[in-house]
Amino acid sequence: MIETLKIEGLALQRGERILFRQLDLRAQAGEAVALVGSNGAGKTSLLRAVAGFIRPAEGRILFEDKDQAVPADDARRLGCHMLGHQDGLKTGRSARDELIFQARWTGGTAALALAAAERLGLTRLLDLEVRVLSAGQRRRLALARLIASPRPLWLLDEPLAPLDTASRALFGTLMAEHVAGGGIILAAVHDPLPIPVRTARVGAAPSGAEAVGP
Amino acid sequence: MFAALANPARFMAFSRWAAPILGVLGAGLVGYGLWLGLNAPPDYQQGETVKIMFIHVPAAWVSMMAYACLGGASFFSLVFRHALADAAARAVAPLGAIFTGIALVTGMLWGRPMWGAWWVWGDARLVSVLVLFLLFLGYMALRASIDDEAKGARAAEILALVGLINLPIIKYSVEWWNTLHQGESVMRAGGSALAPVYLTPLLLTGAGYSLAFGALWLARIRAEVWRRRATSLALRAALA
Amino acid sequence: MSVVMVLLRRELSLAWARGGGALLAVGFFVAAAVMLPLSLGPTPARLAGVSSGVTWVVLSLASLLSLDRMFERDFEDGALDLLALGPLPLEIVSAIKCFAQWTVSGAPLALAAPVVAIGLGARMTVAPMIFAAAALGGLAFAFLGGTGAALALASRRGGVLIAVVVLPLLTPPVIFGGAAIANFNEGLPWVGALSLLAAYALGCVALTPFAMAGACRNAQS
Amino acid sequence: MIDHALSVGKYAAFIWPAYGASAVGFAWMIVDTLARARRWRRKADSLEKHKES
């Protein structure tokens, strides 16, 4: 579905403020890119721009599969997983209903969802309401969606934040499997990811140099 | 023509002389129209109150035009992303609301002596103007309640377009509702059946009101352009 | 199961929320209608005259007040982003949300409307027309109300703002619905009014999703 | 000429308030528009000068 993500000359603006300019970034299948930069530099906005929520002020975001351009809408609606600060889980419903809905909605099946829950040790929590789950458990429930429905591009916004060390290691292996399977990861992070990554700086580097994409 | 005006610098240059000229012309037309109208003989049916028509009908007409301008400007801003178009939409809303207010007040002051009631539900145009007033209120309420200017503008533009699509339907439904309950239409004032001695002043004041509206609108757009320039300069200075 | 059904089932269960949705709408509807005799006095003649008209007005308010959580909750907990990255475009997602809203609170309101109208003195024979008008009008109220809810997303202040924004737009359905009931009541031709109401409601179903999707994208950006 | 225009018979109580209301409406629009234009123009120009200095 998506083998290459190309960001060319991207500039993002929030209200009157220009977050960054001329950001070039290219991510191939099998690569994980960590976005680093000071708070408010625009890491989250970059992820949201790739997901199509924010319109670029300048520049372009292109998706390619076997060197052919894929229309952005299709690429995003069929090939993109986004994990933001919020998990998008409805507190009033049971974890099972929410997980199965999220999996089916993003192209997976109920069976894959339950297998993912098994893998993330959530099976005994499935019949509880999301409301009673801890932040870490909710984040694992959201992670289960990533592996329940196969989508090549993962856009992660500080994914490890609420996870404990054991879950972080588990999520590390899941990310490694995803990348090994030809997936792409673009993650905004503060603490380093437990897998080999290429880093791309967003916003001015401490020394004031312009954003430099590899 | 509109694309040419889309560039702010050219618009400011154009409106710099266009606004005052429209204003003066408008005032002149209104003055002359009223002078003619006030000297016309009293209508055999409405007596002297027909003289309110010269300021009621144009106000109602301009308020409809103002909403059409609001919808048009919102369309250009939403679809073609003209920054100036959004300034125009933001600038026209208060004018539209005031003109609708004038139309309502003069309508009531006209209805009282004629039909014995301050508010005449039988007059379809008056009811349409009332709904129009609520539409302007809704637009301004939405715009005022959203802090982020860019998002507020976009939401208000979408509402203005939904309102524009609904405007003819609302007008039709009110007139349809009116004929339903009244049988024949109560008030045919302002129709072409009007005696020429009243029609000419009405047309003059109508044209005058429209030009005055144009002048006020252009002037308010200029103010809006300066406001945006000032706020962005202040922000840039603060962030530099 | 098609992805439309997946989303519809979810929206229905959220809107239903253990009967909350319908209960709230019908509860408000009946409570507001009760205000009428309390304020106008019990004389049947006076009540009967206004019964179907008031039922219709209170119905539109009830459908407005029960939908300001339609988009706002998904917007706040991040579900709207997930819905935007699903196979269906936001236009269809919004339409499904409004359809679920109509099913969960519009339909019960349409069932309650004849009961309330008759309670206020309307004739028994008008009941089917009140139900039909309430069902069709409810469709327009759900989709126009959904548009108001989506537009108010960026303002964090739903509720009254939605009512102020949407009520003027309800003029046509209120007029057509009220006229259909009144004509039916007086034995006058009512097919025209009802078909205008149906046309307007279907127009809303067809057009408002674009406005809702635009408003959601605006709030997301 | 003027006296004829002013003698509007028994409906004067409605005609003049109608003209008065319209005048007030126009006055408010004109004053608010001109004041707003002047205020923001002055602020924009002063910020412009400040930026250059």
Side-chain angles (χ1 to χ4, degrees), chain D residues 3-53:
Chain D
D3 61 340
H4 178 69
L6 293 183
S7 65
V8 283
K10 55 184 175 15
Y11 293 122
F14 302 103
I15 293 174
W16 295 125
Y19 279 72
S22 308
V24 164
F26 267 93
W28 185 86
M29 282 194 285
I30 294 168
V31 165
D32 176 73
T33 303
L34 294 181
R36 185 183 292 267
R38 189 174 306 116
R39 177 158 61 95
W40 289 114
R41 176 178 201 151
R42 198 173 300 131
K43 190 165 285 190
D45 291 349
S46 72
L47 281 165
E48 200 79 42
K49 259 189 237 54
H50 173 69
K51 198 181 79 171
E52 273 131 24
S53 66

Side-chain angles (χ1 to χ4, degrees), chain C residues 111 123 162 201 217:
Chain C
L111 288 171
R123 291 206 318 273
I162 296 177
R217 290 189 189 102

Side-chain angles (χ1 to χ4, degrees), chain B residues 125-163:
Chain B
R125 193 190 51 242
L126 207 52
V127 174
S128 310
V129 168
L130 177 63
V131 174
L132 194 61
F133 187 71
L134 299 177
L135 284 171
F136 274 117
L137 236 58
Y139 175 87
M140 290 196 285
L142 181 65
R143 189 144 206 171
S145 71
I146 296 175
D147 312 330
D148 179 318
E149 231 184 75
K151 287 191 179 175
R154 184 55 44 90
E157 280 149 21
I158 294 173
L159 174 62
L161 279 184
V162 172

Side-chain angles (χ1 to χ4, degrees), chain A residues 19-44:
Chain A
L19 293 176
F20 52 77
R21 265 210 161 82
Q22 284 311 330
L23 186 130
D24 294 289
L25 178 62
R26 185 187 165 87
Q28 297 284 107
E31 264 188 322
V33 179
L35 302 173
V36 291
S38 55
N39 247 343
K43 298 196 296 294
T44 302

Side-chain angles (χ1 to χ4, degrees), chain A residues 50-63:
Chain A
V50 173
F53 299 152
I54 294 178
R55 162 193 277 273
E58 290 152 21
R60 298 183 309 170
I61 296 172
L62 303 170
F63 303 89

